[in-house]
């Protein structure tokens, strides 16, 4: 009835990626485990047929694929708790999954692990306008929160491009950003409470509707922990009142360098725009073709600058930004005249990634952040790399906060192109770190950037992070193979390497 | 997305098209959240991205699919909400149509399924049989529970339940025939008289013909024209559907060559989507490809046409709050958004948007009979949103939606054209009296 | 007790290694302004990190500053001010509630305590502006986390967990924070004569408006305040550029007029008022009285206070639109400084209460930070094990066994 274990674990992933060794004992007990799981999650909640599981073999990063051991789709917190308790007892690995839109392979399944999908948790539980909070289940999409409160003039600020589909649970796990981060923050700055199920099945509540945490800031720690510490079953977010006016400007430039310099001048003038986005020529063309956003097609770089606040302030700021743009060689400026037009300006940007699908069968989306003034250097080096690898690249850039999204275009049906794209991507990220930036601004490390972590962190740095993992999941059952290049045993990490008897620091001042 | 078709497989023009479609998908997942079945079930398998994956594997492997694959493809409403969302422009419609055809060709369904689907495919496109069927259904209505108790006839119970308790009489406007323009003739159009709708709601054609005539449009119900072929097409019965489509193409081509047509109008948006796809359906057919493309180009929804023509000023002040329900075939299949809303506003109605307007009401052709559980869940969700608005009336451009929603609410449901006809000089729709 | 004054990161490392090897618990002090906050630390030695001082990187256009933790806040603010920038979370100086002269707070101390002022409701807390760090953990190892860019999700966000850990996990040796343009103008809308719950409603209305409120506090009539003589006042602050601020203040005054008498206070007076709210200066007179800091959902503030007023003689001030309530007991609060009744009052609302001021004896016996349930306490304790298994960094400051 159930597929044979051999079939179920047939590796389909890219060869360069090493995942934790398969647990042969678990593989041998597949039928028994599936039976046990079915007792915990009835109906269609346990998926074990190969033909069906294949649909779950990857998330938004299709370069990596792996058939899961089994897929479980619980509907209640009690079921999540029971499944995790069972996994803990059985030594079964667990990969949590939201909408499967990760661009870093955060939800890449394991051949010997449960893929735990939370998409059935899609209810909004409470909207509290007086305290300005919404409490929702983790499978509610990012956009659905705003949709639920917009009738009363409120919204949820972080808005990743995939907001139509990505879930709030996934946003918390990855600490998702969006185009309005510079002014309104990332996910971590916009959530107030979480309910979390530990691998032991214990349910803990962190925060609530109040503003600051008691004890260690677990809310901050869990945000962006990529499913390695626990499974989120409820999220309380802060909702904000919509600004009185919001207007977007699109500004074309003859070069990316000019656009970059313009961004620096805007911030230098003390203007924190609601959003500040940059696209280069290929991205402009692909996005405009889908969204008919009215972008100028004869420019090398495009800035979208959104200003929000009271009407008078916005009008004043638009004037100042126009002046700054002129001083930075802008070739044309358009200002949205009404809300539909503003939405239209953004529609192109928000669809920019998948719209690349129109000009290339596959793309590989990178996510480094750099100090903004390094942009010209990074772009120039990227052009060299593009030539070296023979692959095109389109750039979408959260210019306000230095978060760069190069989209490397390749064709997975052409042998060798995926590998070249990966090497190209790794070179770009090394470059980001080299100029003082980081590997990932908002997509998470996942499997994609896992092996690049040592570019940024020493062994000791990573050990300090892994001990956090030990505090939550000492057996390393939750989403292993992600974030850390090697997962050390907690017992090993717990050892202290200092011995007594040394004469203490004769030359440190005492008083 | 990577595909693994052999050169041999790609020689098949259908596979080649499917491959092109699949290669466009970048697996971003944007489509999932706007898919009605995913919203209900929260399972990737019941989402467009999941089905695309299932179809990819099914076609790559060739041969008969697994029962699970069929189950999930069957659950697709073909509402095409995913196509509105997809930034990469994946043509899901052509992919799923082909998948259904492939399933029909290679997969043997259980007996009761086969029986039921065969009945639907034969009955619905044929007005004469359908009328008889409805009478039978009317007779069987009291025995619906009995039918439900027997596995082989269980599905028939759904059909019996859907039969109206009173079947309208034949309309004076049954074709073929020509209805002259009033005053100076501005346009000459054909109207798709279709199949089930003219039996269940002849008043819709009556209203359409009246309003067109008043606006100086001559209306032709072409000889030999009938079901658009959409219903069997969605059941994977490609042979039947192509035969029906050819008959229409012949009938209208004859009219075009004879006195000419400015447009071929449709007041059942589901059929409109199919007409607009004739060009694609017959792209490889040496005899029909050119003719079919011409029909697709002329095909238009009644609201598209009227909006372009310009609606006369209203003759009444209706003073009504209208919740406009955009049929999936209109908003997703044909991407017609503004015309019906603009026309209703211009005719003096206060038009309100229904929350989650992009989600299907669960009607979706024969879906409400084939997938009653999901269909009902979607219906209730939609009705919840409609009743939240507390409108005087719901307007929509597809009879299927009206029939579906009428089973769950007391708020009157009418076709957009009935309101427009009334506001510009026609009779008040019976449901509003 | 041994007192040590490290000059740099290497010294900190040496000290921790020694402390681990010889099992000598350390009390970590920087400006020393908040030593009364938390449980008394029973340490064998004191490490004063105020010597690790100085700004090492400041790029106004990149909105980023890196400094050593002992850098006085005053120095940081002066440097930022020269570029029209600020720490948007409005760090507070609690010196005066402990009877100390203000002005010696350091950046490291602020981050270790996650101390944020009235602007927290708009701009976020200290933790939201903490981008990167270097530190020495209780394992005698130097590690870094985060970075110098505002958008970064590479690895666990250890800045968050160190922020507000009160020196119990590691000694910070370098920190990077996000800085932002400062508002050029302030106006405060004052609504007089409101009850606690009416004031909270008014503040909620202001917060739910599009006027971008950057401070919302309520001072009941029984709390003396130098700048106002008109009984209870609710104060709503707006900041930014000239015309925008005037427009928003006028809009708020118009909106709140039905609630009570409204007036608009000018920049100069406003600054002094908000400084006193930020530093809890209403409670500097009676230093023998227990002082609580209660964090609840904003609308729950008045409920908690009403419950306590029924049981004890208290005075309260509301900040964060009602979400932060300072509660001072009169001297007869009992052996637990009112802990029992305060936490009972908070429990139904799902927030927490911290005892900010009490004498050492009380602080030794009473839970200063909100007690945690078993599952949560387990996580806390295991996190401590991860960073400081020998319990040598500020042991017991937050929880008895941590």
């Amino acid at each position: 009835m159930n597929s044979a274990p051999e079939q179920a674990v047939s590796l389909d992933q890219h060869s360069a990626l090493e995942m934790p060794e398969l647990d042969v004992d678990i593989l041998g007990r597949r039928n028994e485990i599936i039976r046990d799981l079915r007792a915990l999650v009835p109906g269609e909640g346990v998926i074990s047929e190969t033909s069906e599981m294949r649909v779950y073999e990857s998330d938004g990063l299709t370069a990596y694929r792996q058939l899961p051991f089994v897929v479980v789709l619980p509907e209640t917190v009690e079921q999540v708790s029971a499944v995790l308790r069972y996994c803990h007892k059985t030594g079964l690995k667990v990969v949590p999954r939201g909408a499967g839109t990760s661009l870093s392979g955060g939800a890449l399944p394991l051949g010997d692990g449960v893929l735990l999908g939370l998409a059935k948790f899609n209810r909004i539980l409470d909207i509290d306008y007086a305290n300005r909070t919404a409490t929702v289940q983790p499978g509610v999409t990012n956009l659905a929160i705003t949709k639920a409160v917009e009738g009363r003039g409120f919204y949820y600020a972080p808005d990743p491009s995939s907001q139509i589909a990505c879930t709030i649970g996934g946003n918390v796990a990855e600490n998702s950003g969006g185009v309005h981060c510079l002014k309104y923050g990332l996910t971590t700055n916009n959530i107030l409470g979480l309910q979390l199920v530990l691998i032991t099945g214990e349910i803990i509540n962190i925060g609530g509707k109040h503003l600051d945490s008691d004890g260690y800031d677990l809310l901050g720690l869990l945000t962006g922990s990529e499913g390695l510490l626990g499974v989120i079953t409820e999220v309380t977010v802060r909702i904000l009142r919509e600004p009185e006016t919001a207007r977007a400007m699109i500004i074309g430039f003859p070069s990316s360098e000019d656009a970059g310099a313009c961004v620096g001048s805007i911030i230098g003038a003390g203007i924190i725009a609601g959003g500040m986005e940059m696209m280069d020529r290929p991205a402009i063309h692909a996005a405009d073709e889908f969204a008919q956003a009215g972008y100028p097609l004869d420019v090398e770089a495009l800035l979208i600058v959104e200003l929000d606040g009271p009407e008078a302030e916005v009008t004043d700021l638009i004037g100042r930004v126009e002046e700054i743009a002129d001083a930075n060689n802008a070739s044309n400026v358009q200002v949205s005249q009404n809300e539909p037009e503003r939405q239209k300006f953004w529609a192109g940007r928000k669809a920019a990634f998948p719209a690349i699908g129109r000009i290339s069968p596959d793309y590989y989306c990178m996510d480094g952040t750099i100090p903004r003034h390094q942009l010209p250097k990074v772009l120039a080096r990227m052009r060299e790399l593009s030539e070296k690898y023979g692959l095109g690249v389109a750039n979408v850039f959260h210019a306000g906060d230095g978060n760069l999204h190069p989209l490397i275009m390749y064709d997975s049906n052409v042998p060798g192109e995926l590998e070249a794209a990966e090497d190209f991507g790794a070179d770009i990220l090394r470059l980001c770190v080299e100029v003082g930036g980081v590997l990932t601004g908002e997509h998470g490390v996942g499997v994609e950037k896992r092996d690049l972590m040592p570019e940024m962190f020493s062994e000791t740095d990573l050990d300090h992070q892994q001990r956090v993992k030990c505090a939550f999941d000492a057996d390393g059952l939750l989403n292993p193979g992600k974030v850390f290049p090697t997962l050390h045993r907690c017992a090993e990490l717990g050892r202290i390497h200092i011995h007594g008897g040394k004469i203490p620091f004769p030359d440190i001042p005492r008083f | 997305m990577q595909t693994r078709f052999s050169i041999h497989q790609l020689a098949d023009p259908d596979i080649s098209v499917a491959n092109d479609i699949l290669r466009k998908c970048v697996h971003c997942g944007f489509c999932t959240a706007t898919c009605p079945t995913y919203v209900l079930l929260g399972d990737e398998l019941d989402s467009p991205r999941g089905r695309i994956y299932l179809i990819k594997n099914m076609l790559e492997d060739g041969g008969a699919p697994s029962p699970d694959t069929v189950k999930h493809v069957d659950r697709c409403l073909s509402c095409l909400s995913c196509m509105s969302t997809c930034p990469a422009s994946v043509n899901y419609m052509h992919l799923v149509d082909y998948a259904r055809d492939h399933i029909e060709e290679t997969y043997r369904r259980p007996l009761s399924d086969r029986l039921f689907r065969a009945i639907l495919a034969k009955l619905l496109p044929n007005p004469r049989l359908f009328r008889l069927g409805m009478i039978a259904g009317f007779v069987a209505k009291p025995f619906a529970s009995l039918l439900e108790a027997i596995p082989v006839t269980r599905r028939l119970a759904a059909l019996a339940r859907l039969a109206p308790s009173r079947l309208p009489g034949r309309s004076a406007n049954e074709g073929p025939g020509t209805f002259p323009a009033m005053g100076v003739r501005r346009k000459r159009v054909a109207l798709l008289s279709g199949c089930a709708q003219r039996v269940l709601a002849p008043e819709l054609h009556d209203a359409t013909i009246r309003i067109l005539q008043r606006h100086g449009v001559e209306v032709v119900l072409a000889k030999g024209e009938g079901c658009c072929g959409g219903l069997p097409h969605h059941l994977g019965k490609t042979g039947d559907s192509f035969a029906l489509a050819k008959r229409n193409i012949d009938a209208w081509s004859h009219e075009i060559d004879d006195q000419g047509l400015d447009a071929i109008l449709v007041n059942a948006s589901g059929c409109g989507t199919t007409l607009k796809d004739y060009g694609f359906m017959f792209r490889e057919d040496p005899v029909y490809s050119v003719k079919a493309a011409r029909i697709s180009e002329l095909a238009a929804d009644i609201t598209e046409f009227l909006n372009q023509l310009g609606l006369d000023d209203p003759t009444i002040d209706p003073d009504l709050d209208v919740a406009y329900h955009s049929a999936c075939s209109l908003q997703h299949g044909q991407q017609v958004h503004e015309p019906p809303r603009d026309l209703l506003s211009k005719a003096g109605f206060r038009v309100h948007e229904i929350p989650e307007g992009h989600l299907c009401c669960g009607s979706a052709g024969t879906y409400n009979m084939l997938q009653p559980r999901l269909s009902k869940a979607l219906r209730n969700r939609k009705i919840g949103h409609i009743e939240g608005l507390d409108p005087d009336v719901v307007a929509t451009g597809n009879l299927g939606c009206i029939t579906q929603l009428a089973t769950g609410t007391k708020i009157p449901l009418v076709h957009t054209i009935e309101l427009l006809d009334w506001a510009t000089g026609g009779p008040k729709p019976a449901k509003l009296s | 007790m041994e007192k040590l004054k490290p000059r740099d990161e290497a010294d900190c490392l040496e000290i921790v290694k020694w402390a681990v090897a010889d099992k000598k618990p350390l009390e970590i002090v920087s400006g020393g302004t908040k030593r009364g906050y938390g449980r008394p630390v029973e340490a064998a030695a004191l490490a004063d990190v105020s010597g690790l001082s100085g700004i090492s990187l400041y790029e106004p256009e990149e909105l980023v500053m890196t400094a050593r933790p002992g850098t006085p806040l005053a120095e940081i603010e002066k440097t930022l001010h020269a570029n029209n920038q600020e720490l948007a979370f409005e760090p507070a100086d609690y010196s005066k509630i402990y009877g100390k002269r203000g002005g010696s707070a350091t950046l490291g101390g602020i981050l270790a305590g996650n101390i944020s002022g009235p602007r927290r409701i708009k701009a976020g807390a200290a933790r939201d502006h903490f981008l990167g760090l270097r530190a020495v953990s209780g394992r005698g190892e130097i590690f870094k986390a985060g970075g110098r860019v505002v958008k970064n999700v590479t690895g666990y966000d250890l800045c968050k967990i160190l922020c507000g850990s009160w020196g119990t996990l590691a000694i910070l040796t370098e920190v990077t924070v996000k800085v932002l343009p400062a508002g050029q103008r302030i106006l405060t809308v004052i609504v007089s004569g409101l009850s606690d719950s009416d004031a909270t409603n008014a503040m909620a209305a202001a917060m739910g408006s599009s006027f971008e409120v950057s401070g919302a506090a309520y001072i009941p009539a029984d709390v003396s305040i130098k700048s106002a003589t008109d009984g209870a006042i609710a104060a709503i602050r707006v900041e930014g550029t000239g015309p925008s601020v005037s427009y928003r203040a006028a809009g708020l005054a118009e909106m709140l007029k039905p609630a009570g008498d409204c007036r608009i206070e000018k920049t100069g007076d406003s600054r002094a008022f908000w400084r006193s709210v930020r530093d809890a200066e209403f409670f500097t007179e009676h230093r023998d009285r227990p002082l609580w800091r209660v964090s609840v959902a904003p609308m729950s503030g008045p409920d908690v206070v009403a419950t306590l007023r029924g049981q004890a003689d208290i005075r309260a001030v509301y900040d964060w639109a009602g979400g932060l309530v300072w509660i001072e007991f009169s001297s007869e609060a009992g052996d637990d400084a009112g802990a029992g009744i305060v936490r009972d009052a908070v429990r139904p609302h799902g927030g927490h209460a911290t005892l900010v001021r009490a004498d050492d004896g009380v602080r030794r016996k009473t839970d200063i930070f909100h007690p945690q349930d078993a599952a949560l306490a387990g996580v806390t304790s295991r996190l401590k094990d991860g960073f400081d298994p020998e319990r040598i960094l500020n042991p017991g400051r937050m929880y008895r066994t941590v």
Side-chain angles (χ1 to χ4, degrees), chain A residues 142 155-161 175-190 238 272-277 306 308 346 349-350 367 369 398-403 405 441-442, chain C residues 63 123 128-129 150-153 178 180:
Chain A
N142 173 295
Y155 74 111
Y156 173 63
D159 58 344
S161 297
N175 191 12
S176 307
V179 299
H180 292 95
C181 283
L182 181 63
K183 188 163 176 183
Y184 297 103
L186 288 89
T187 303
T188 191
N189 313 114
N190 287 280
R238 195 165 72 111
I272 300 295
M276 197 143 43
E277 295 291 305
E306 178 159 295
D308 56 13
W346 281 116
R349 166 59 190 91
K350 293 215 167 163
D367 174 44
T369 305
H398 298 300
D401 41 39
N403 187 199
H405 292 309
E442 55 179 353
Chain C
L63 306 175
D128 295 300
H129 297 78
V150 291
K151 213 164 166 192
N152 175 16
V153 296
K178 175 179 170 180
L180 285 168

Side-chain angles (χ1 to χ4, degrees), chain C residues 49-278:
Chain C
V49 298
S50 61
L52 277 74
S53 179
I55 297 167
S56 50
L57 176 144
Y58 174 37
E59 291 176 0
E61 282 197 16
E62 299 282 337
L63 306 175
V64 65
M65 175 183 270
T66 302
R68 272 170 291 204
T71 314
L73 206 52
E75 180 185 333
I76 297 210
E77 287 178 336
K78 202 174 131 204
T79 308
L80 290 172
H81 188 71
N83 283 284
N84 290 324
Q85 292 191 329
E86 66 185 0
L87 293 172
F89 60 92
E90 209 176 358
D93 183 350
Y94 292 157
S95 310
K96 288 181 196 156
I97 58 179
Y98 300 113
K100 292 180 185 153
R101 223 156 38 84
S104 53
T106 63
L107 183 60
I110 293 293
L111 293 173
N114 188 24
I115 307 293
S116 324
R119 206 181 292 115
R120 197 261 173 267
I121 50 175
K122 175 166 184 273
R127 50 91 90 175
D128 295 300
H129 297 78
F130 191 6
L131 301 178
L133 61 84
R134 288 178 64 87
V136 179
S137 73
R139 299 179 164 270
E141 290 173 338
I142 295 168
F143 69 100
K144 66 173 180 300
R148 49 153 294 184
V149 289
V150 291
K151 213 164 166 192
N152 175 16
V153 296
T154 321
Y156 294 140
D157 194 350
L158 297 186
C159 295
K160 291 283 187 305
I161 189 163
L162 287 192
C163 195
S165 67
W166 295 93
T168 60
L169 299 178
I171 302 177
L172 295 170
T173 55
E174 185 183 87
V175 296
T176 299
V177 289
K178 175 179 170 180
V179 298
L180 285 168
Q184 296 305 297
R185 206 165 152 232
I186 304 186
L187 286 177
T188 302
V189 178
I190 306 270
V191 194
S192 323
L194 301 184
S195 69
D196 294 40
S197 57
D198 287 345
T200 309
N201 286 332
M203 291 192 287
M207 291 302 298
S209 76
S210 55
F211 296 123
E212 296 175 47
V213 170
S214 74
Y218 172 64
I219 323 293
D222 59 354
V223 178
S224 66
I225 166 168
K226 272 174 248 154
S227 58
T229 48
D230 41 0
I233 60 162
I236 319 281
R237 178 174 68 177
V238 286
E239 294 170 290
T241 53
S244 166
V245 169
S246 308
Y247 166 81
R248 287 184 278 140
L252 281 165
E254 185 63 29
M255 188 178 92
L256 298 173
K257 212 162 52 185
D261 286 341
C262 282
R263 66 187 161 83
I264 296 175
E265 209 162 299
K266 297 278 178 295
T267 300
D269 295 341
S270 283
R271 283 197 204 279
F273 171 78
W274 288 103
R275 198 176 310 119
S276 60
V277 174
R278 185 191 73 188

Side-chain angles (χ1 to χ4, degrees), chain B residues 276-293:
Chain B
K276 288 179 177 178
D277 200 39
Y278 279 180
F280 176 82
M281 286 163 68
F282 291 94
R283 68 196 182 283
E284 303 281 338
D285 188 313
V287 180
Y288 278 88
S289 62
V290 176
K291 287 196 277 184

